[in-house]
Amino acid sequence: MVNIVIDEDACVGCGSCVEDCPNDVYEMDETKNKTKVVKLDDCMACLSCHEICPAQAMEHQDIHVAKRLYIDRKVNYALERII
Amino acid sequence: MEIEEIKGTFKPELIPKETGGDLDDYEDALHVLMKFMGSMSSALEQVSGRGANAIVYQAGKRMGHESAKMMEKTENLEQALDEMGDVLGHEFYFEKWKPSGQSSYTTQEGDQVVIKLLFMDCVVRQTLRRTGLPQKGPLCYLLYGYMVGAVEEVMDIKGKIDIDHVGPNACLKTLTIKWSGK
Ligand code: SF4
Ligand code: SF4
């Protein structure tokens, strides 16, 4: 079962995730000016919100992580040694 | 990079026992094919405009009809989708999806049945990301055509597929089938 964790220190309250999520999973908490999860059961783990969030403030736990075979293993390996 | 040449004896054979190459070769081949597909898709779009979608859709539909010929015919949509899932395998891994407020996966709208499919793994999506192309372009129509062709073949009815949402980790599509025949 998917779980979404919002890093409230990182969230800048831009509301992009609220606008972008096709299933209205998020809502703005007006008092805190941060996003909050209101419809967790409707999250389909598309991760569009990850792409749009400027602060990388959310984490989706226990989801199906799609294969990413387009990433070159040799490049990954080289980067791992540098970083 | 030095290219190692493989030399050996070769006799006529029905099915080669060895394919040659290792995982790196498979990866290189995959990346070349992804780049090739990506560039073919943009060229097609450049030359044929929106017609590119129709061309790729037809190609996918033909593939869908072909591969579904081996599947057992059924009038049960959910059973047909389970069978198609087996044929599409892990590279086009999908599940039925419904919003939390809806009780069943299928909904009836007149003589049409509607079901939402969540595609989690998709080689097309990976190809688009590899080549920096946006989703919902001509290449995506290959999969739409494939699904529609396979459903039509297995259930002997008319179907269509629409995109609800595309994301980097999953894409939601709506499959509609019409009971009133082809
Ligand atoms: S993963 Fe998709 S469905 Fe889930 S919260 Fe993000 S945008 Fe919404
Ligand atoms: S997109 Fe990111 S920064 Fe903006 S409100 Fe949502 S979580 Fe906060």
Side-chain angles (χ1 to χ4, degrees):
Chain A
M1 169 67 190
V2 54
N3 186 36
I4 307 173
V5 179
I6 304 291
D7 179 348
E8 289 199 354
D9 293 332
C11 174
V12 293
C14 66
S16 301
C17 55
V18 180
E19 262 178 53
D20 192 56
C21 174
N23 297 342
D24 301 326
V25 169
Y26 303 110
E27 236 177 56
M28 279 312 279
D29 183 331
E30 300 299 343
T31 47
K32 288 186 188 167
N33 196 33
K34 306 280 176 190
T35 192
K36 64 175 178 191
V37 177
V38 289
K39 277 167 75 179
L40 183 64
D41 288 348
D42 280 346
C43 176
M44 55 189 180
C46 66
L47 301 191
S48 292
C49 50
H50 283 228
E51 281 210 323
I52 205 145
C53 174
Q56 300 183 332
M58 67 269 290
E59 184 179 283
H60 279 62
Q61 297 169 342
D62 201 17
I63 61 162
H64 174 98
V65 178
K67 275 183 225 157
R68 285 159 292 174
L69 301 179
Y70 58 88
I71 296 167
D72 199 311
R73 286 180 311 137
K74 289 183 213 95
V75 174
N76 251 8
Y77 177 69
L79 280 176
E80 236 171 57
R81 286 167 61 115
I82 301 164
I83 302 166
Chain B
M1 187 183 65
E2 203 180 310
I3 295 175
E4 193 194 331
E5 191 191 1
I6 300 160
K7 288 204 170 189
T9 311
F10 198 87
K11 284 193 272 184
E13 53 190 348
L14 201 56
I15 301 167
K17 286 194 204 76
E18 283 179 28
T19 55
D22 55 17
L23 187 59
D24 286 339
D25 294 305
Y26 280 104
E27 187 182 30
D28 288 347
L30 175 71
H31 282 259
V32 168
L33 280 173
M34 280 182 172
K35 282 197 268 184
F36 181 65
M37 287 295 286
S39 109
M40 213 167 73
S41 165
S42 8
L44 202 59
E45 207 170 13
Q46 205 177 1
V47 175
S48 338
R50 284 175 65 90
N53 296 350
I55 296 168
V56 180
Y57 181 78
Q58 278 310 321
K61 207 166 156 182
R62 195 174 294 182
M63 278 168 61
H65 274 285
E66 275 307 311
S67 50
K69 283 205 167 80
M70 295 172 292
M71 294 184 217
E72 204 179 313
K73 303 261 185 247
T74 175
E75 286 190 356
N76 181 321
L77 178 60
E78 294 201 30
Q79 191 188 326
L81 288 170
D82 288 343
E83 276 195 58
M84 283 162 61
D86 290 342
V87 172
L88 283 172
H90 289 288
E91 298 319 322
F92 291 106
Y93 176 59
F94 70 91
E95 277 181 4
K96 294 170 286 210
W97 190 85
K98 64 179 181 62
S100 57
Q102 193 177 300
S103 56
S104 69
Y105 286 109
T106 52
T107 52
Q108 189 87 30
E109 291 171 14
D111 64 346
Q112 296 184 336
V113 176
V114 176
I115 191 162
K116 288 193 184 295
L117 304 174
L118 187 64
F119 281 84
M120 295 188 267
D121 283 302
C122 174
V123 180
V124 170
R125 192 190 310 132
Q126 297 195 42
T127 303
L128 296 172
R129 291 185 88 76
R130 173 68 178 83
T131 46
L133 289 169
Q135 287 168 270
K136 288 193 199 177
L139 270 192
C140 287
Y141 281 79
L142 193 75
L143 183 57
Y144 310 155
Y146 190 97
M147 290 300 289
V148 169
V151 166
E152 286 186 353
E153 187 67 37
V154 172
M155 300 188 71
D156 208 20
I157 37 95
K158 197 112 196 109
K160 75 173 171 102
I161 208 159
D162 296 297
I163 322 156
D164 290 13
H165 181 76
V166 292
N169 199 57
C171 302
L172 189 66
K173 288 163 189 158
T174 298
L175 175 68
T176 308
I177 58 163
K178 214 170 169 106
W179 288 118
S180 49
K182 283 191 178 188

